[in-house]
C-alpha cells in the first residue's frame, strides 16, 4: 500500500468508504492516519489530494478534493499519464535504466489528453494537468487507490496506468 508517511504528495483515488473497503494504512483511526495528520501539521509541504465521485471521511482531511464521475478513475489515471508524458515531466534517467520500449508510450497515451479525459470524468483539463505536474515535481509522490480501482472490466488498464505514473516519475514503491 502507499507510503503516505513519507510522501510529499499523495493522491487518494477512489471514493469507497476507506474504513470498510480495505484502504490498508489509510483506514481511519489507524496509526497511519494519525501519522498523516501529524505530517500535515508539521510539514506544510506534504499535500493530500482526494479524487472521487463523493467526498469521504478521509477526503475531508485532504488539501483539495477533485470531483469526478463514478467509475472514471481509470480514465483519470490515463489522463495523468498523458499529461506527465506530454509535458516531459518524467525522470528520463529512471526510464533509461529500468524500462524498455518507453518510446511506445507516445502512441499508447495519445488518445488520453486532459481535454478528452475531462469530458469523460466531468472535471476541468487544468485540474488533470495540474495534478500531473505537482505529482511529477514532488520529491516523493504516491497514488493511494481503493481496492475497487482494479475490480472491474478495465482493472488491468487501471493497474498499468497506476504503475506507469509511478514509473515515469521514479516513484515506484
Amino acid at each position: 500500500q502507499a507510503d503516505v508517511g513519507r510522501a510529499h504528495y499523495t493522491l487518494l483515488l477512489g471514493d469507497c468508504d476507506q474504513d470498510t473497503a480495505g484502504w490498508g494504512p489509510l483506514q481511519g483511526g489507524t496509526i497511519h492516519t494519525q501519522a498523516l495528520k501529524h505530517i500535515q501539521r508539521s510539514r506544510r509541504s506534504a499535500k493530500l489530494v482526494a479524487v472521487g465521485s463523493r467526498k469521504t471521511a478521509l477526503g475531508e482531511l485532504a488539501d483539495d478534493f477533485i470531483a469526478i464521475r463514478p467509475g472514471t478513475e481509470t480514465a483519470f489515471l490515463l489522463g495523468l499519464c498523458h499529461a506527465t508524458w506530454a509535458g516531459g515531466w518524467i525522470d528520463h534517467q529512471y526510464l533509461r535504466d529500468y524500462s524498455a520500449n518507453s518510446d511506445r508510450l507516445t502512441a499508447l497515451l495519445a488518445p488520453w489528453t486532459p481535454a478528452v479525459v475531462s469530458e469523460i470524468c466531468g472535471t476541468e483539463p487544468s485540474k488533470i494537468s495540474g495534478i500531473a505536474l505537482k505529482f511529477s515535481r514532488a520529491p516523493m509522490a504516491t497514488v493511494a487507490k481503493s481496492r475497487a480501482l482494479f475490480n472491474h472490466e478495465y482493472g488491468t488498464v487501471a493497474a498499468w496506468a497506476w504503475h506507469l505514473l509511478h514509473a515515469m516519475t521514479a516513484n515506484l514503491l
Side-chain angles (χ1 to χ4, degrees), residues 9 19 21-22 31 33-34 37 42 45-46 51 63 77 81 98 123-124 132 147 162 165:
Y9 193 88
D19 289 332
I31 189 67
T33 304
Q34 294 169 20
K37 288 178 186 179
S42 63
S45 64
V51 177
D63 297 299
L77 274 173
C81 289
Y98 299 105
T123 192
E124 299 87 32
R147 283 187 193 164
W162 182 75
L165 182 62

Side-chain angles (χ1 to χ4, degrees), residues 7 27 37 39 43-44 46 49 60 64 68 72 81 94 97-98 108 112 121 141 144 150-152 156 158-160 173:
Q27 287 181 309
K37 288 178 186 179
I39 288 165
R43 187 177 49 153
R44 297 285 181 222
V49 177
E60 292 291 334
D64 196 8
I68 62 172
T72 62
C81 289
Y94 189 87
D97 291 349
Y98 299 105
L108 291 170
W112 302 100
C121 296
F150 300 155
N151 294 336
H152 55 81
T156 303
W160 176 79
L173 303 173

Side-chain angles (χ1 to χ4, degrees), residues 4 8 38 53 99 132 135 161:
V4 297
H8 292 89
H38 171 73
S53 63
S99 70
F135 188 92

Side-chain angles (χ1 to χ4, degrees), residues 40 50-51 54 58 63 67 69 76 99-100 110 113 122 126 131 135 153 164:
Q40 285 183 310
V51 177
R54 63 183 175 89
L58 190 56
D63 297 299
R69 290 186 180 107
F76 190 82
S99 70
T113 66
S126 61
I131 288 174
F135 188 92
E153 64 182 309
L164 178 61

